[in-house]
Amino acid sequence: MAEPLLKIDQLKIHFPIKKGFFKKDLKFVKAVDDVSFEIYEGESVGLVGESGSGKTTIGRGILRLISNVQGNISFQGKQVLNLKPKELKELRKDFQIIFQDPFSSLNPRMTIGNIIEEGLVIHHAGDRLKRQKIVMDILEKVGINKDYYDRYPHEFSGGQRQRIGIARALVLNPKFVICDEPVSALDVSIQVQVLKLMQQLQKEFHLTYLFIAHDLAVVDYFCNRIIIIYLGKLMEIASRDIIVKNPHHPYTKALISASPHPDPDYKKNEIILRGDIPSPINPPSGCVFHTRCPNVIDICKKEIPVLKQISEGHYCACHLIDNTS
């Protein structure tokens, strides 16, 4: 089997809470706690969970956009966390991100041509004329008229701005792109257009995606494999078909039941989770999901479940599986 393009091993991201005159670290926000997974070249992998589950933190940690990252992040065999600034800058040509908000992620004082060209300037990619041609080519590929090169972000619609954000991410011809809720701020009709564009660009540029989202319907449409995360812990990993049609973890089942169905007459077993997601400052003992799980048993409150393989490519962290097998 081919080696993974990206390998995450025991990733931990804890943010200290400083209090008092001497700013001592009293507690930690455990945003991500012991997360491991792999992504292979050409895949579209969905990372799904509620707000506050640690999805975006994982994405920014992989890109080293935040500090306090522990564990191992390997990209094409290189240990990302050990790279020096010059080596990391070189690697960033292969690592890119599409942000959630297509407006706040674009500098309002820069034209879209300069915004997209910025990465080329930083990496010294050719002279001004060559860079301008590259930018105009990528604009046309994402469906923006190249004559709009000198316009500003506020002159575009939300869908157009997200296309500009995609162009900025792809201008350096990266291998791996993290998509942080790239369509959640768009109208449904525009979401489909942007998702189809991203699929088309994936084939053309041979891209690998980590698609961060809370909407399982969007992930089901876009991704090959899905990773379910809750309060910084992995719950389940499997192919799209298994997650959607035969989920094993109670949290995955709850997410599936909460997804809207296009047929208004379709009847489903709706699972209502009680309470809110706990604070990552003081997460529950044992399984972090046990405070809201409809099927909780005594061991769930005491022991952290291990992510175990159920079948080929299917992993789940749940004590219920151990008790029924």
Side-chain angles (χ1 to χ4, degrees):
M1 191 173 181
E3 287 294 313
L5 180 72
L6 179 74
K7 185 174 182 180
I8 308 297
D9 189 31
Q10 297 181 312
L11 186 69
K12 292 184 180 181
I13 305 175
H14 295 177
F15 298 104
I17 299 175
K18 299 179 184 291
K19 287 187 177 181
F21 182 78
F22 295 103
K23 298 294 183 183
K24 292 183 178 179
D25 297 346
L26 298 181
K27 291 183 179 180
F28 288 86
V29 176
K30 297 180 179 179
V32 180
D33 200 23
D34 198 17
V35 164
S36 301
F37 61 86
E38 298 174 348
I39 297 178
Y40 292 86
E41 191 170 351
E43 278 194 305
S44 296
V45 176
L47 185 59
V48 181
E50 294 173 274
S51 297
S53 60
K55 310 182 299 296
T56 295
T57 305
I58 289 175
R60 294 181 183 232
I62 291 171
L63 296 175
R64 284 186 58 177
L65 296 178
I66 54 178
S67 55
N68 305 313
V69 181
Q70 300 175 32
N72 292 301
I73 302 172
S74 174
F75 181 77
Q76 291 187 316
K78 294 181 180 179
Q79 293 298 324
V80 176
L81 297 181
N82 296 334
L83 294 179
K84 296 176 182 177
K86 188 176 181 180
E87 297 171 319
L88 181 61
K89 179 182 175 182
E90 188 65 24
L91 185 68
R92 288 200 189 281
K93 288 190 288 187
D94 291 327
F95 263 25
Q96 290 296 318
I97 185 170
I98 300 169
F99 293 99
Q100 177 179 359
D101 188 340
F103 187 71
S104 63
S105 63
L106 302 177
N107 189 333
R109 295 181 179 87
M110 295 175 66
T111 65
I112 65 164
N114 289 335
I115 288 171
I116 298 170
E117 186 188 358
E118 192 172 20
L120 298 170
V121 173
I122 290 170
H123 291 279
H124 309 292
D127 58 23
R128 172 70 177 172
L129 290 177
K130 182 179 179 180
R131 291 195 302 266
Q132 191 174 47
K133 184 180 184 308
I134 293 172
V135 171
M136 288 185 173
D137 287 345
I138 197 71
L139 279 173
E140 290 196 322
K141 286 184 186 296
V142 300
I144 300 292
N145 193 319
K146 65 181 181 180
D147 293 336
Y148 297 165
Y149 182 95
D150 290 318
R151 293 191 179 185
Y152 290 86
H154 72 271
E155 301 180 70
F156 297 88
S157 67
Q160 288 175 318
R161 285 195 289 262
Q162 195 58 291
R163 289 171 184 265
I164 294 164
I166 293 170
R168 177 178 58 183
L170 300 187
V171 73
L172 288 168
N173 197 19
K175 296 177 181 177
F176 177 69
V177 179
I178 292 178
C179 313
D180 186 8
E181 303 259 17
V183 297
S184 64
L186 307 177
D187 293 337
V188 174
S189 59
I190 305 301
Q191 285 184 10
V192 175
Q193 295 175 19
V194 172
L195 290 172
K196 286 184 176 180
L197 171 67
M198 290 173 65
Q199 288 176 328
Q200 174 190 327
L201 294 170
Q202 182 178 27
K203 294 177 183 178
E204 185 172 348
F205 286 84
H206 308 289
L207 298 170
T208 302
Y209 288 131
L210 175 62
F211 193 93
I212 297 169
H214 65 272
D215 188 342
L216 262 172
V218 171
V219 173
D220 178 29
Y221 172 81
F222 190 78
C223 297
N224 314 112
R225 237 174 2 114
I226 299 175
I227 300 170
I228 305 295
I229 187 170
Y230 179 83
L231 203 62
K233 293 275 191 182
L234 294 186
M235 300 288 106
E236 191 164 7
I237 302 174
S239 67
R240 171 184 57 203
D241 290 341
I242 290 175
I243 290 290
V244 174
K245 297 176 182 176
N246 188 28
H248 279 52
H249 199 284
Y251 181 57
T252 309
K253 293 177 182 178
L255 290 177
I256 295 291
S257 77
S259 296
H261 197 277
D263 183 0
D265 298 322
Y266 176 80
K267 294 183 179 180
K268 59 183 178 180
N269 296 322
E270 191 171 1
I271 302 171
I272 305 296
L273 296 179
R274 58 183 185 270
D276 297 321
I277 188 168
S279 170
I281 299 174
N282 187 25
S285 59
C287 175
V288 291
F289 184 60
H290 87 256
T291 58
R292 303 175 71 199
C293 182
N295 305 316
V296 62
I297 55 179
D298 286 341
I299 192 173
C300 301
K301 303 174 184 178
K302 302 171 185 176
E303 295 183 17
I304 299 173
V306 178
L307 193 71
K308 292 183 178 179
Q309 184 169 359
I310 300 172
S311 59
E312 186 176 355
H314 188 185
Y315 299 84
C316 188
C318 184
H319 292 301
L320 293 171
I321 295 170
D322 297 334
N323 278 265
T324 54
S325 57

